[in-house]
Amino acid sequence: MISSLSIENFALIDKMSVNFFDGFSTMTGETGAGKSILLGALGLVLGRRADLSVLKNKEKKCIIEAGFNLKGYNLQDFFTYNDLDYEESTTIRREILPSGKSRAFVNDCLINLNELQQLGSFLVDIHSQNETRELSEEDFQFRIIDAIADNNLKLQSFSKNLKVYKTAKKKHLELRDSLAAALKEQDYNTFLFDELYSAQLKSGQQETLEIDLEKLSNVEFISEVLKKAENLFGDEHVGILNNLKDIRGSFQKISGFGSDYKQIFDRIDSSLIELDDVFTEIEQLQEGLSSDPEELESTNQKLQVIYNLQKKHQVSTVDELLVIQEELDQKVVSVSDLETTIAKLDIEISASEKELDELAQQIHIARIDALPKLTDKLKSILELLGMPHVRFNIELFPLDKYVSNGKEELKFLFSANKGTDFGLLRKVASGGELSRIMLAVKAILAQYSNLPTIIFDEIDTGVSGEIANKMGLIMQEMSLHMQVLSITHLPQIAAKGKHHYKVYKETENDSTSSNLILLSKEQRIAEIATMLSGADITASALKHAKELLN
């Protein structure tokens, strides 16, 4: 429940601080006094977005701080999950800086706006006049039924499974599209892959073939060069090797006469060994050299295949062709993989649908059981509020698709008077009837929810007299389960509060500001008398005010 609220530099408020209490409290004040400003400030604390227009003094920051008593509301898990310090007496502070930036703190721990909004939804339900139209919205109508049906855990499980199901369905659709595209290209990709695979490409193959082609194309010239070299090396009379052997023999004879001769001998001997080895290799090359037209043609054809493939795929190396071959292989294989993955997804989706259908059926059965309870409770409360002939006809209809809260839709039909046909709530209910129905709904929900606080912003619009008195009694009854604060213009309701606050404006030095005070018993009598008779309080108004308070 809200225990305190302090506001600084917000709209018409310079600085204000007030404490709140459990039970039923009322708030009154003239139109324009600042009641909506207070709700706006509380809305900021609960996570509503802000802008610079809320600053009264544009050069100073706005600070709004609210204290909450969280004992008994089981919010420890939320604080732990969001890495916040839990305290039974928790403080939420919102700051709006002159720069336009906003910051929020929970027990001095920085919190982002989404987390603050989530926390706010657990703390306070602010019901404004405009929100009465929620009664006509199917989601809100389902929330009423599901609260009585105790469907919370089932709906959480359904929502979790629905998220998984939708993700699987989305992936399934994407894979089907990918498969369709892959199938269109599969024949062509298979042809390209087979063409590359049959070429038996290897890294470095092109360079080797090009060298072989050059060799085979010039075999006669190479043979001529090798023969000439062979003759120059090996001729018996003028060959290099025989002459060098003679020179080596001569220097061997004088190598003992000095180190200089010995060094030359060693160098000649080493050269002879090297040249002899070269001669042997020339002989081997000559023996291995052959003029083979078939091999020449085969090498030329292999190179031509490579050149054609390179031109076709617009690349210049065999390594690039091998990369393309691998990619095509993956594309061809991926069709089979896609089909396998889609088949697995089909099984998952089928299992998910079965689980969702089971949960939706459980939710439906619980709702069917809850409908008579809801209509009986609504009729019971609304009869007290001057609608003795009210009737409701709430019907559930199956859907062939999943929605966020099950697999059905509903019609919430209403008749206020005897002999009138049922009609949709939004079409046949008057403003005063909607206000009373909404109060009845909130009173019922208060018995099933663990919400700490509810604030009614002029929910009594369109009613008066004894009906207003009964509405006040219902809010009193609600306050046995939660903290209730009602902003009202009706003295009958204002008098029912355990505590009574007044919002007022005052002007000083050409500056207008709003304030909020907790009224004493005497001030309260005067305020209610003013609400009854206007600014000129009569004796009868004072007497009536005291009677209302008693």
Side-chain angles (χ1 to χ4, degrees), residues 190-210:
T190 301
F191 167 75
L192 292 177
F193 172 78
D194 289 343
E195 188 177 43
L196 286 166
Y197 183 77
S198 63
Q200 296 294 300
L201 300 173
K202 296 177 183 178
S203 181
Q205 180 183 23
Q206 180 179 351
E207 292 79 2
T208 301
L209 287 171
E210 286 173 341

Side-chain angles (χ1 to χ4, degrees), residues 249-258 261-262:
S250 298
F251 269 88
Q252 186 175 15
K253 295 174 181 176
I254 65 172
S255 61
F257 299 149
Y261 308 121
K262 178 69 168 63

Side-chain angles (χ1 to χ4, degrees), residues 197-441:
Y197 183 77
S198 63
Q200 296 294 300
L201 300 173
K202 296 177 183 178
S203 181
Q205 180 183 23
Q206 180 179 351
E207 292 79 2
T208 301
L209 287 171
E210 286 173 341
I211 292 170
D212 290 344
L213 181 64
E214 283 293 313
K215 187 189 297 182
L216 291 166
S217 299
N218 296 279
V219 65
E220 292 180 2
F221 176 68
I222 294 170
S223 177
E224 183 181 331
V225 170
L226 290 175
K227 284 180 179 178
K228 182 177 180 181
E230 188 178 16
N231 288 332
L232 289 172
F233 268 103
D235 188 90
E236 286 186 21
H237 303 291
V238 294
I240 293 171
L241 290 177
N242 284 330
N243 288 329
L244 194 57
K245 286 177 183 178
D246 288 344
I247 295 170
R248 184 187 65 172
S250 298
F251 269 88
Q252 186 175 15
K253 295 174 181 176
I254 65 172
S255 61
F257 299 149
S259 60
D260 292 341
Y261 308 121
K262 178 69 168 63
Q263 286 180 5
I264 291 177
F265 168 76
D266 290 339
R267 290 170 66 187
I268 292 171
D269 187 55
S270 176
S271 297
L272 183 60
I273 294 170
E274 177 64 23
L275 288 173
D276 191 50
D277 187 55
V278 170
F279 177 63
T280 302
E281 286 192 27
I282 290 173
E283 287 181 319
Q284 290 173 350
L285 288 171
Q286 178 68 18
E287 290 173 3
L289 191 65
S290 64
S291 178
D292 188 346
E294 291 184 2
E295 186 179 357
L296 176 62
E297 180 63 22
S298 174
T299 303
N300 191 45
Q301 286 178 355
K302 288 179 181 178
L303 273 173
Q304 198 58 49
V305 168
I306 291 173
Y307 294 149
N308 290 339
L309 288 172
Q310 287 173 342
K311 183 178 180 181
K312 186 173 191 175
H313 294 281
Q314 298 182 345
V315 295
S316 58
T317 67
V318 169
D319 286 341
E320 289 173 303
L321 287 175
L322 288 170
V323 170
I324 293 171
Q325 180 179 319
E326 178 64 25
E327 290 174 351
L328 288 168
D329 187 27
Q330 291 299 321
K331 287 180 180 178
V332 172
V333 172
S334 68
V335 172
S336 176
D337 291 343
L338 278 172
E339 289 172 339
T340 302
T341 304
I342 289 171
K344 288 180 180 178
L345 266 179
D346 285 334
I347 295 171
E348 291 177 18
I349 290 171
S350 179
S352 186
E353 287 176 342
K354 182 179 179 182
E355 192 164 357
L356 284 170
D357 287 341
E358 289 175 356
L359 283 168
Q361 183 62 16
Q362 292 173 22
I363 292 168
H364 170 74
I365 292 171
R367 285 170 175 169
I368 291 294
D369 291 341
L371 289 180
K373 299 176 188 176
L374 174 60
T375 53
D376 288 346
K377 288 177 181 289
L378 284 172
K379 287 172 64 177
S380 177
I381 295 172
L382 291 171
E383 284 172 3
L384 291 174
L385 296 177
M387 299 173 69
H389 304 299
V390 67
R391 291 178 298 151
F392 291 93
N393 182 21
I394 307 172
E395 296 182 85
L396 299 170
F397 300 93
L399 292 172
D400 58 1
K401 63 179 181 179
Y402 302 111
V403 290
S404 62
N405 57 5
K407 202 176 180 181
E408 58 192 342
E409 61 182 352
L410 64 78
K411 283 187 179 178
F412 203 102
L413 303 177
F414 162 79
S415 172
N417 303 300
K418 188 179 288 187
T420 59
D421 293 332
F422 284 106
L424 292 174
L425 202 60
R426 66 176 180 274
K427 291 185 177 180
V428 300
S430 67
E433 287 168 343
L434 284 173
S435 293
R436 281 176 274 180
I437 295 169
M438 179 57 89
L439 179 60
V441 165

